[in-house]
Structure formats: structure tokens, C-alpha cells
Amino acid sequence: MPMRRGFGHLISRARLYGTSYDLVDQDEDAPAQMSHLIPSFDIDGKLVFERQTNWLGSAALQTLEPRVYYVLTSYEDQSDNPRFDTTALDFSFASLFRPNRFTGYDRIGDENRITFGVTSRTIANRSGDELLRTSIGQVYYFDKRRVQLMDEAEVANDITSAVAGEVATRIEKDWTASASLQWNPNETEQPWEKQVLQLRYAPDADRLVNLA
């Protein structure tokens, strides 16, 4: 049973991914019918610590939220599957806590990994607005990732992922700024894989401007 409390959560899930294909106009050496049943299990744990602080002279609440996520998904050869709606997920802090590294169901990634992440928020006491949020996390892999989007792609065998980080802050009432960063310790020439800065102006629910 999932446990959700004000101080955090502990949620476990069991999945069974099922796919089946009945294709036409296939090449002679390509199968027309194939199906897969792939079991998966994950567990997600988070704690929330709070303390009172101040933000530019105003009372605020600051949190520290460590999070651990583990997922185990069996390997199944899916190289004969078509790719109708599957792509690789964009790597980000949020994607560190997702069970499948692909979108759609044409590829179910084999997984045996654990993610460590931490988020800190500063929240205004009076309004409840989030004034500042910082997050950082990284994945540690226990096995190679044999399922790839392209059949000819090499098996991924890095022990760790890139480090993903996010920072978001409220500049003014209608203005917010955020940065997404990605640093890969496995790359020596260009370890910074992502550096994105975004400004957002939202004066009301019907008007929104994004600059990135």
C-alpha cells in the first residue's frame, strides 16, 4: 500500500507491460506477429524536512526533500518491434524518477537503477507562492541497458548518468526565471550537455510569454 504523509511518501508499484503487433507488408525476413509481456517493479521514497526562514525580509518556509527511487524492469529483445510512437525521453531532473526511459510502448527499457535526488524549496508563508526551488540528482546503474531506440545502437554501459539540476525563482509578481543544467562526468571534452535559461511572464491565466 502506498504511504503518503506530510513528511514524505513511500510508494511501490508493480507493472506488467503488454504489447502485441499484427503487421502487414513486412519484409520477407521480418516477423509479422510479435508480442511481449514485461514485468517491472519500482519503489519511490521521499522525506520532507522544514524550517522557518525569511526571504528578503518576509517570513518563509524552507524545505529539504531527499528522494530515492529504484526501478527494476526485465530485459526483452524488442529489436523486431516497429517504432510507431516511441522516442527517447528528454533527460532532465524529472526523468530521473520515471520507470521507462522511452515514451510510448514500442520500446520498454530494461532497467536496474537507483536514483538519488534532493530538492529544496522556499515558500512564502503568507501567499504560499514558491519563491525558490533547487533540485539536483543522478542515476546509478547496476546493469547495462541493452534495449535501445535504434537497433544498431551500442549497449549503454555507463555506471552513472549525467547529473541533472534545476533552479527556479520568482523575480517579480508576474515574472519567473528557471535554469536547467546537465553535467556528464562520463564526458571529458564537453561535460556540459545542457545549459538552458528560461524567463516566463504570466500576468494572468490568459496571457503567457516564454523566453529561452
Side-chain angles (χ1 to χ4, degrees), residues 48 62 80 108 112 128 133 149 158 180 187 191:
V48 179
Q62 185 178 42
D80 289 330
I108 304 299
N112 187 7
R133 182 183 74 253
L149 190 62
D158 291 333
S180 298
E187 297 290 339

Side-chain angles (χ1 to χ4, degrees), residues 1 4 9 19 29 38 40 46 56 62 67-68 86 88 115 119-120 130 136-137 143 152 160 177 180 185 188 191 193:
M1 293 289 293
R4 294 180 175 89
H9 67 239
T19 57
D29 58 345
I38 303 173
S40 177
K46 184 174 78 168
L56 303 179
Q62 185 178 42
R67 186 176 178 183
V68 180
T86 290
T115 297
T119 295
S120 179
E130 185 178 82
I136 190 169
D143 266 325
E152 64 273 11
T160 62
S180 298
T188 56
E193 296 180 337

Side-chain angles (χ1 to χ4, degrees), residues 174 200-209:
D174 301 327
R200 174 174 171 163
Y201 175 65
D204 52 51
D206 298 323
R207 290 184 293 171
L208 173 65
V209 177

Side-chain angles (χ1 to χ4, degrees), residues 35-200:
S35 61
H36 307 283
L37 287 175
I38 303 173
S40 177
F41 169 81
D42 67 352
I43 185 166
D44 184 0
K46 184 174 78 168
L47 291 172
V48 179
F49 302 95
E50 299 177 348
R51 74 182 183 100
Q52 290 296 320
T53 185
N54 68 79
W55 176 266
L56 303 179
S58 299
L61 178 72
Q62 185 178 42
T63 71
L64 184 67
E65 306 170 23
R67 186 176 178 183
V68 180
Y69 175 76
Y70 175 74
V71 57
L72 177 65
T73 304
S74 299
Y75 168 75
E76 182 85 11
D77 184 2
Q78 301 159 66
S79 56
D80 289 330
N81 288 11
R83 286 184 291 110
F84 293 126
D85 61 353
T86 290
T87 60
L89 279 175
D90 181 47
F91 187 82
S92 65
F93 179 78
S95 73
L96 302 179
F97 304 95
R98 291 175 179 166
N100 189 16
R101 59 185 183 272
F102 304 109
T103 65
Y105 294 97
D106 298 324
R107 294 291 187 277
I108 304 299
D110 51 323
E111 306 285 2
N112 187 7
R113 56 179 164 90
I114 189 168
T115 297
F116 296 98
V118 63
T119 295
S120 179
R121 307 174 201 268
T122 301
I123 302 168
N125 280 358
R126 176 172 293 183
S127 65
D129 291 338
E130 185 178 82
L131 306 173
L132 176 67
R133 182 183 74 253
T134 59
S135 301
I136 190 169
Q138 187 177 25
V139 176
Y140 292 82
Y141 300 103
F142 299 111
D143 266 325
K144 300 176 180 178
R145 279 79 66 212
R146 290 179 284 177
V147 176
Q148 298 297 318
L149 190 62
M150 306 300 294
D151 300 338
E152 64 273 11
E154 295 183 2
V155 171
N157 55 14
D158 291 333
I159 298 175
T160 62
S161 73
V163 178
E166 295 179 347
V167 179
T169 185
R170 180 177 293 275
I171 303 173
E172 293 287 347
K173 177 183 177 182
D174 301 327
W175 286 91
T176 57
S178 62
S180 298
L181 306 172
Q182 183 176 320
W183 180 76
N184 193 340
N186 304 307
E187 297 290 339
T188 56
E189 294 185 1
Q190 294 182 336
W192 287 102
E193 296 180 337
K194 179 190 290 185
Q195 300 176 70
V196 178
L197 176 64
Q198 184 180 50
L199 293 174
R200 174 174 171 163

